[in-house]
mmCIF file of all heavy atoms in Angstrom:
data_model
loop_
_atom_site.group_PDB
_atom_site.id
_atom_site.type_symbol
_atom_site.label_atom_id
_atom_site.label_comp_id
_atom_site.label_asym_id
_atom_site.label_seq_id
_atom_site.Cartn_x
_atom_site.Cartn_y
_atom_site.Cartn_z
ATOM 1 N N ALA M 90 -5.599 15.058 2.051
ATOM 2 C CA ALA M 90 -5.941 16.284 2.869
ATOM 3 C C ALA M 90 -4.709 16.860 3.410
ATOM 4 O O ALA M 90 -4.672 18.157 3.603
ATOM 5 C CB ALA M 90 -6.777 15.778 4.052
ATOM 6 N N ASP M 91 -3.654 16.158 3.582
ATOM 7 C CA ASP M 91 -2.316 16.801 4.013
ATOM 8 C C ASP M 91 -1.459 16.915 2.842
ATOM 9 O O ASP M 91 -0.148 17.210 3.026
ATOM 10 C CB ASP M 91 -1.710 15.865 5.127
ATOM 11 C CG ASP M 91 -2.369 15.934 6.417
ATOM 12 O OD1 ASP M 91 -3.086 16.920 6.679
ATOM 13 O OD2 ASP M 91 -2.348 14.840 7.153
ATOM 14 N N GLY M 92 -1.875 16.865 1.650
ATOM 15 C CA GLY M 92 -1.034 17.150 0.571
ATOM 16 C C GLY M 92 -0.238 15.963 0.083
ATOM 17 O O GLY M 92 0.751 16.245 -0.722
ATOM 18 N N GLY M 93 -0.410 14.765 0.366
ATOM 19 C CA GLY M 93 0.253 13.661 -0.011
ATOM 20 C C GLY M 93 -0.579 12.615 -0.567
ATOM 21 O O GLY M 93 -1.812 12.686 -0.873
ATOM 22 N N ASN M 94 0.107 11.434 -0.751
ATOM 23 C CA ASN M 94 -0.532 10.157 -1.357
ATOM 24 C C ASN M 94 0.440 9.089 -1.174
ATOM 25 O O ASN M 94 1.566 9.159 -0.769
ATOM 26 C CB ASN M 94 -1.007 10.428 -2.706
ATOM 27 C CG ASN M 94 -2.178 9.543 -3.133
ATOM 28 O OD1 ASN M 94 -2.517 8.500 -2.451
ATOM 29 N ND2 ASN M 94 -2.959 9.983 -4.055
ATOM 30 N N VAL M 95 -0.004 8.060 -1.660
ATOM 31 C CA VAL M 95 0.806 6.744 -1.708
ATOM 32 C C VAL M 95 0.508 6.015 -2.999
ATOM 33 O O VAL M 95 -0.570 5.995 -3.486
ATOM 34 C CB VAL M 95 0.647 5.815 -0.503
ATOM 35 C CG1 VAL M 95 -0.854 5.199 -0.561
ATOM 36 C CG2 VAL M 95 1.544 4.741 -0.348
ATOM 37 N N GLU M 96 1.609 5.484 -3.689
ATOM 38 C CA GLU M 96 1.513 4.715 -4.844
ATOM 39 C C GLU M 96 2.035 3.202 -4.747
ATOM 40 O O GLU M 96 2.942 3.138 -3.998
ATOM 41 C CB GLU M 96 2.399 5.449 -5.944
ATOM 42 C CG GLU M 96 1.798 6.777 -6.459
ATOM 43 C CD GLU M 96 2.804 7.411 -7.443
ATOM 44 O OE1 GLU M 96 3.890 6.887 -7.790
ATOM 45 O OE2 GLU M 96 2.476 8.451 -8.008
ATOM 46 N N VAL M 97 1.327 2.418 -5.433
ATOM 47 C CA VAL M 97 1.779 1.041 -5.357
ATOM 48 C C VAL M 97 2.832 0.975 -6.461
ATOM 49 O O VAL M 97 2.714 1.311 -7.625
ATOM 50 C CB VAL M 97 0.697 0.015 -5.809
ATOM 51 C CG1 VAL M 97 1.208 -1.317 -6.042
ATOM 52 C CG2 VAL M 97 -0.492 0.055 -4.747
ATOM 53 N N ILE M 98 4.152 0.466 -6.032
ATOM 54 C CA ILE M 98 5.255 0.272 -6.992
ATOM 55 C C ILE M 98 5.226 -1.155 -7.521
ATOM 56 O O ILE M 98 5.232 -1.234 -8.736
ATOM 57 C CB ILE M 98 6.575 0.401 -6.166
ATOM 58 C CG1 ILE M 98 6.683 1.847 -5.610
ATOM 59 C CG2 ILE M 98 7.732 0.192 -7.007
ATOM 60 C CD1 ILE M 98 6.662 3.077 -6.571
ATOM 61 N N GLU M 99 4.867 -2.049 -6.715
ATOM 62 C CA GLU M 99 4.692 -3.397 -7.156
ATOM 63 C C GLU M 99 4.279 -4.286 -6.126
ATOM 64 O O GLU M 99 4.271 -4.001 -4.884
ATOM 65 C CB GLU M 99 6.157 -3.981 -7.767
ATOM 66 C CG GLU M 99 7.041 -4.244 -6.703
ATOM 67 C CD GLU M 99 8.367 -4.927 -7.135
ATOM 68 O OE1 GLU M 99 8.397 -5.583 -8.114
ATOM 69 O OE2 GLU M 99 9.390 -4.701 -6.618
ATOM 70 N N ILE M 100 3.709 -5.535 -6.558
ATOM 71 C CA ILE M 100 3.410 -6.589 -5.584
ATOM 72 C C ILE M 100 4.302 -7.774 -6.234
ATOM 73 O O ILE M 100 4.101 -8.220 -7.407
ATOM 74 C CB ILE M 100 1.890 -6.999 -5.772
ATOM 75 C CG1 ILE M 100 0.972 -5.926 -5.274
ATOM 76 C CG2 ILE M 100 1.682 -8.320 -4.781
ATOM 77 C CD1 ILE M 100 -0.477 -6.163 -5.404
ATOM 78 N N THR M 101 5.275 -8.138 -5.419
ATOM 79 C CA THR M 101 6.239 -9.070 -5.889
ATOM 80 C C THR M 101 5.582 -10.543 -5.913
ATOM 81 O O THR M 101 4.555 -10.820 -5.361
ATOM 82 C CB THR M 101 7.439 -9.195 -4.991
ATOM 83 O OG1 THR M 101 7.016 -9.713 -3.676
ATOM 84 C CG2 THR M 101 8.101 -7.767 -4.756
ATOM 85 N N ASN M 102 6.339 -11.477 -6.515
ATOM 86 C CA ASN M 102 5.782 -12.784 -6.623
ATOM 87 C C ASN M 102 5.653 -13.458 -5.223
ATOM 88 O O ASN M 102 4.862 -14.449 -5.049
ATOM 89 C CB ASN M 102 6.858 -13.704 -7.392
ATOM 90 C CG ASN M 102 6.748 -13.209 -8.914
ATOM 91 O OD1 ASN M 102 5.826 -12.813 -9.420
ATOM 92 N ND2 ASN M 102 7.855 -13.519 -9.625
ATOM 93 N N ASP M 103 6.461 -13.045 -4.251
ATOM 94 C CA ASP M 103 6.287 -13.606 -2.870
ATOM 95 C C ASP M 103 5.280 -12.785 -2.072
ATOM 96 O O ASP M 103 5.453 -12.718 -0.849
ATOM 97 C CB ASP M 103 7.639 -13.790 -2.187
ATOM 98 C CG ASP M 103 8.497 -12.615 -2.202
ATOM 99 O OD1 ASP M 103 8.333 -11.557 -3.030
ATOM 100 O OD2 ASP M 103 9.582 -12.484 -1.506
ATOM 101 N N LEU M 104 4.504 -11.978 -2.741
ATOM 102 C CA LEU M 104 3.403 -11.152 -2.181
ATOM 103 C C LEU M 104 3.911 -10.082 -1.197
ATOM 104 O O LEU M 104 3.285 -9.785 -0.132
ATOM 105 C CB LEU M 104 2.444 -12.135 -1.463
ATOM 106 C CG LEU M 104 1.708 -13.261 -2.435
ATOM 107 C CD1 LEU M 104 0.832 -14.163 -1.671
ATOM 108 C CD2 LEU M 104 1.069 -12.473 -3.500
ATOM 109 N N VAL M 105 4.987 -9.475 -1.562
ATOM 110 C CA VAL M 105 5.418 -8.224 -0.838
ATOM 111 C C VAL M 105 4.849 -7.062 -1.605
ATOM 112 O O VAL M 105 5.101 -6.880 -2.787
ATOM 113 C CB VAL M 105 6.821 -8.191 -0.753
ATOM 114 C CG1 VAL M 105 7.429 -6.880 -0.111
ATOM 115 C CG2 VAL M 105 7.486 -9.358 0.005
ATOM 116 N N LEU M 106 4.148 -6.195 -0.955
ATOM 117 C CA LEU M 106 3.531 -4.936 -1.456
ATOM 118 C C LEU M 106 4.548 -3.895 -1.212
ATOM 119 O O LEU M 106 5.042 -3.529 -0.034
ATOM 120 C CB LEU M 106 2.268 -4.609 -0.762
ATOM 121 C CG LEU M 106 1.630 -3.141 -1.153
ATOM 122 C CD1 LEU M 106 1.284 -3.227 -2.591
ATOM 123 C CD2 LEU M 106 0.367 -3.070 -0.232
ATOM 124 N N ARG M 107 5.018 -3.219 -2.307
ATOM 125 C CA ARG M 107 5.942 -2.135 -2.248
ATOM 126 C C ARG M 107 5.298 -0.888 -2.573
ATOM 127 O O ARG M 107 4.774 -0.764 -3.615
ATOM 128 C CB ARG M 107 7.193 -2.411 -3.097
ATOM 129 C CG ARG M 107 7.896 -3.770 -2.836
ATOM 130 C CD ARG M 107 9.036 -3.969 -3.594
ATOM 131 N NE ARG M 107 10.188 -3.235 -3.068
ATOM 132 C CZ ARG M 107 11.017 -2.642 -3.847
ATOM 133 N NH1 ARG M 107 11.133 -2.717 -5.192
ATOM 134 N NH2 ARG M 107 12.010 -1.846 -3.315
ATOM 135 N N LEU M 108 5.407 0.012 -1.652
ATOM 136 C CA LEU M 108 4.676 1.375 -1.713
ATOM 137 C C LEU M 108 5.606 2.562 -1.745
ATOM 138 O O LEU M 108 6.638 2.337 -1.085
ATOM 139 C CB LEU M 108 3.645 1.522 -0.601
ATOM 140 C CG LEU M 108 2.553 0.501 -0.416
ATOM 141 C CD1 LEU M 108 1.763 0.783 0.756
ATOM 142 C CD2 LEU M 108 1.640 0.516 -1.667
ATOM 143 N N GLN M 109 5.225 3.657 -2.320
ATOM 144 C CA GLN M 109 6.111 4.874 -2.163
ATOM 145 C C GLN M 109 5.158 6.066 -1.714
ATOM 146 O O GLN M 109 4.114 6.249 -2.431
ATOM 147 C CB GLN M 109 6.775 5.109 -3.570
ATOM 148 C CG GLN M 109 7.540 6.486 -3.540
ATOM 149 C CD GLN M 109 8.241 6.547 -4.978
ATOM 150 O OE1 GLN M 109 8.041 5.860 -5.820
ATOM 151 N NE2 GLN M 109 9.026 7.639 -4.979
ATOM 152 N N PHE M 110 5.585 6.894 -0.792
ATOM 153 C CA PHE M 110 4.937 8.063 -0.553
ATOM 154 C C PHE M 110 5.264 9.082 -1.537
ATOM 155 O O PHE M 110 6.308 9.103 -2.075
ATOM 156 C CB PHE M 110 5.354 8.540 0.870
ATOM 157 C CG PHE M 110 4.819 7.716 2.005
ATOM 158 C CD1 PHE M 110 5.624 6.961 2.871
ATOM 159 C CD2 PHE M 110 3.433 7.826 2.382
ATOM 160 C CE1 PHE M 110 5.063 6.293 3.905
ATOM 161 C CE2 PHE M 110 2.915 7.242 3.482
ATOM 162 C CZ PHE M 110 3.813 6.392 4.218
ATOM 163 N N VAL M 111 4.256 9.889 -1.942
ATOM 164 C CA VAL M 111 4.413 10.923 -2.893
ATOM 165 C C VAL M 111 3.815 12.294 -2.288
ATOM 166 O O VAL M 111 3.036 12.227 -1.257
ATOM 167 C CB VAL M 111 3.684 10.708 -4.281
ATOM 168 C CG1 VAL M 111 4.372 9.405 -4.875
ATOM 169 C CG2 VAL M 111 2.263 10.394 -4.118
ATOM 170 N N GLY M 112 4.129 13.385 -2.908
ATOM 171 C CA GLY M 112 3.706 14.671 -2.494
ATOM 172 C C GLY M 112 4.310 15.029 -0.976
ATOM 173 O O GLY M 112 5.411 14.650 -0.788
ATOM 174 N N ALA M 113 3.536 15.611 -0.273
ATOM 175 C CA ALA M 113 4.008 15.988 1.106
ATOM 176 C C ALA M 113 4.313 14.870 1.977
ATOM 177 O O ALA M 113 5.238 14.848 2.788
ATOM 178 C CB ALA M 113 2.831 16.919 1.728
ATOM 179 N N CYS M 114 3.782 13.600 1.595
ATOM 180 C CA CYS M 114 4.013 12.576 2.572
ATOM 181 C C CYS M 114 5.428 11.894 2.277
ATOM 182 O O CYS M 114 6.101 11.379 3.134
ATOM 183 C CB CYS M 114 3.171 11.272 2.075
ATOM 184 S SG CYS M 114 1.394 11.585 2.660
ATOM 185 N N SER M 115 6.004 12.275 1.126
ATOM 186 C CA SER M 115 7.396 11.819 0.933
ATOM 187 C C SER M 115 8.501 12.511 1.870
ATOM 188 O O SER M 115 9.550 11.900 1.946
ATOM 189 C CB SER M 115 7.788 12.078 -0.528
ATOM 190 O OG SER M 115 7.807 13.361 -0.898
ATOM 191 N N SER M 116 8.172 13.644 2.390
ATOM 192 C CA SER M 116 9.031 14.302 3.219
ATOM 193 C C SER M 116 8.640 14.723 4.683
ATOM 194 O O SER M 116 9.220 15.273 5.449
ATOM 195 C CB SER M 116 9.559 15.641 2.560
ATOM 196 O OG SER M 116 8.406 16.443 2.462
ATOM 197 N N CYS M 117 7.436 14.055 4.940
ATOM 198 C CA CYS M 117 6.784 14.297 6.303
ATOM 199 C C CYS M 117 7.417 13.497 7.275
ATOM 200 O O CYS M 117 7.653 12.294 7.068
ATOM 201 C CB CYS M 117 5.342 13.853 6.209
ATOM 202 S SG CYS M 117 4.425 14.138 7.718
ATOM 203 N N SER M 118 7.786 14.084 8.418
ATOM 204 C CA SER M 118 8.315 13.336 9.554
ATOM 205 C C SER M 118 7.375 12.318 10.208
ATOM 206 O O SER M 118 7.902 11.550 10.924
ATOM 207 C CB SER M 118 8.764 14.372 10.651
ATOM 208 O OG SER M 118 7.685 15.167 11.240
ATOM 209 N N MET M 119 6.162 12.484 9.893
ATOM 210 C CA MET M 119 5.238 11.448 10.498
ATOM 211 C C MET M 119 4.863 10.337 9.473
ATOM 212 O O MET M 119 4.145 9.489 9.790
ATOM 213 C CB MET M 119 3.814 12.256 10.766
ATOM 214 C CG MET M 119 3.921 13.236 11.912
ATOM 215 S SD MET M 119 4.509 12.539 13.507
ATOM 216 C CE MET M 119 3.031 11.614 13.925
ATOM 217 N N SER M 120 5.454 10.219 8.324
ATOM 218 C CA SER M 120 5.300 9.271 7.437
ATOM 219 C C SER M 120 5.539 7.826 7.954
ATOM 220 O O SER M 120 4.832 6.941 7.575
ATOM 221 C CB SER M 120 6.090 9.549 6.073
ATOM 222 O OG SER M 120 7.507 9.390 6.333
#
Side-chain angles (χ1 to χ4, degrees):
D91 286 332
N94 207 337
V95 65
E96 292 179 351
V97 175
I98 300 301
E99 69 176 331
I100 301 172
T101 66
N102 290 334
D103 54 347
L104 300 177
V105 175
L106 173 62
R107 300 182 78 217
L108 300 171
Q109 181 177 3
F110 285 110
V111 295
C114 288
S115 64
S116 60
C117 176
S118 62
M119 296 298 288
S120 63

